[in-house]
Amino acid sequence: MADALNERTISLEGAQRVLATALALAGQMKLRISVAVAGRAGDLKAFARMDGASILSGETARRKVYTVAATGMSTQEFGSILKSEIGEEPELFHGMLGIDGIIAVAGGVPIRLDGQLIGAVAVSGGTSAEDQKIAESAAAAK
């Protein structure tokens, strides 16, 4: 049995590339957003709040990126799972959303390399669909 794990995480250079891609796409879409990029364990690697983006969008992006790292899935998928379970297990829904930092709103996506989770990117400031589109495009830029 190994005494150490060999888990890959996104580099600062990779995180900055993901961040730049998200900001460029938001600019093309005429949106003012916040973007957070984290390593595999949810550690913040890169962050930006565009001029004119709300302060709330910054906190929301940070929570989305943490949620992706904690669950290993997009915030959109996580939210769908919780919503589908609320009728049968409302305590699961409320319990998960009661965990500090967890949010179930579209716009946070995993960053994978060779199928392995290496980080996450999250966007906030547009509609849920806009946030999701930008995050998915940015994640592909790793």
Side-chain angles (χ1 to χ4, degrees):
M1 178 191 310
D3 290 331
L5 299 175
N6 186 16
E7 295 179 341
R8 298 167 74 185
T9 193
I10 193 166
S11 66
L12 176 59
E13 182 179 334
Q16 289 172 330
R17 188 169 38 255
V18 169
L19 179 72
T21 299
L23 294 173
L25 184 53
Q28 292 170 9
M29 296 170 69
K30 308 263 190 268
L31 296 173
R32 298 289 176 234
I33 62 165
S34 292
V35 182
V37 184
R40 185 184 186 291
D43 49 313
L44 195 60
K45 294 284 220 164
F47 175 82
R49 184 171 61 87
M50 295 174 76
D51 294 340
S54 74
I55 293 171
L56 182 59
S57 73
E59 181 60 25
T60 304
R62 283 191 289 270
R63 288 179 185 227
K64 287 179 184 181
V65 84
Y66 173 76
T67 301
V68 173
T71 64
M73 65 183 79
S74 74
T75 52
Q76 185 175 49
E77 181 182 2
F78 179 64
S80 293
I81 290 169
L82 289 182
K83 287 175 191 172
S84 72
E85 297 292 329
I86 193 167
E88 291 183 31
E89 284 191 274
E91 63 278 0
L92 174 66
F93 179 86
H94 294 291
M96 287 290 152
L97 293 181
I99 297 171
D100 190 37
I102 296 292
I103 192 167
V105 180
V109 300
I111 300 172
R112 297 189 188 282
L113 183 63
D114 300 328
Q116 180 182 8
L117 180 69
I118 62 165
V121 58
V123 174
S124 182
T127 65
S128 292
E130 290 167 335
D131 290 352
Q132 187 73 21
K133 176 182 177 177
I134 295 169
E136 287 173 354
S137 295
K142 66 180 177 313

